[in-house]
Amino acid sequence: MGVVWAENPAPNRAAQRLKNVDEKLDVPPLKAELRQFVDWVSSYTLASRGTVLRMALRMGEHLGPGREHVGVHLAGRRRNE
């Protein structure tokens, strides 16, 4: 799975190692502000764009409900027992 970052009708595939898009998911496009922010964070932290994008998308409220967290509370013996 990947993200189409920008439209380019005549890409130079040899220089950029681009792949064909086989299927488009029915999700709203990313806002330009988010793409610019991901680019800025990526260059500022020297992290890959994909890593920053993954982090940003995990914080989105439109990606469905969060994962269920199960907790366990360990109780000791009571003093009166």
Side-chain angles (χ1 to χ4, degrees), residues 34-49 51-53 55-56:
L34 178 58
R35 291 194 316 266
Q36 291 169 358
F37 179 70
V38 168
D39 283 336
W40 180 83
V41 171
S42 174
S43 66
Y44 185 80
T45 61
L46 302 177
S48 70
R49 183 188 287 167
T51 300
V52 177
L53 181 62
M55 178 187 64

Side-chain angles (χ1 to χ4, degrees), residues 27-28 30 53-66:
V27 294
L30 297 176
L53 181 62
R54 184 180 315 119
M55 178 187 64
L57 291 180
R58 289 185 73 147
M59 301 305 290
E61 60 190 41
H62 302 293
L63 298 176

Side-chain angles (χ1 to χ4, degrees), residues 4-44:
V4 177
W5 206 250
E7 219 174 297
N8 186 354
N12 181 354
R13 291 180 190 270
Q16 298 178 355
R17 299 185 321 219
L18 296 177
K19 298 178 182 177
N20 291 324
V21 175
D22 292 331
E23 179 183 1
K24 181 183 180 287
L25 299 178
D26 188 26
V27 294
L30 297 176
K31 293 182 179 182
E33 294 86 2
L34 178 58
R35 291 194 316 266
Q36 291 169 358
F37 179 70
V38 168
D39 283 336
W40 180 83
V41 171
S42 174
S43 66
Y44 185 80

